[in-house]
Amino acid sequence: MSTPWTAVAATPSPSPSSVPDVQVTPGVAGFIAIALVAVVTILLVIDMTRRIRRTRYRAEIRERLEAEAAAGSDSASTDEPARRADEDGRADVGDDTERG
């Protein structure tokens, strides 16, 4: 009596064999692909660093200009109402085109 189980049990399993290194390694094409990925990554990091630095410098300059404008408007605002009141008699009206 022959059953499928006896046929499976009678079939020998393959013996472990060593695989040649040539079939396992990626070769020249794999090396080139990884090298290109590495070069592109380095270029992207350099570009990102430049953009972040540029953004930080712009923010610092903007803060300095705002601080200078605030300092300039504080000193100008203390002197301007008295000067304007002396010139035309009205301290509450000012010319917006005039920048000191």
Side-chain angles (χ1 to χ4, degrees):
M1 182 160 123
S2 178
T3 63
W5 295 109
T6 56
V8 171
T11 311
S13 63
S15 64
S17 63
S18 64
V19 178
D21 288 340
V22 175
Q23 293 178 353
V24 177
T25 61
V28 176
F31 175 76
I32 292 173
I34 296 299
L36 286 175
V37 168
V39 168
V40 168
T41 303
I42 290 170
L43 292 175
L44 283 173
V45 168
I46 290 171
D47 183 53
M48 180 186 65
T49 304
R50 285 181 184 165
R51 289 176 187 266
I52 289 173
R53 187 178 301 136
R54 190 179 308 144
T55 302
R56 190 175 342 134
Y57 288 155
R58 285 180 182 168
E60 288 176 6
I61 290 171
R62 187 178 306 120
E63 288 175 3
R64 277 191 212 153
L65 291 175
E66 289 173 357
E68 288 176 4
S73 67
D74 287 344
S75 65
S77 66
T78 57
D79 296 339
E80 256 182 272
R83 183 178 55 90
R84 286 191 181 150
D86 290 342
E87 289 176 358
D88 51 350
R90 296 179 298 167
D92 60 337
V93 178
D95 187 14
D96 288 340
T97 59
E98 217 176 274
R99 300 272 169 150

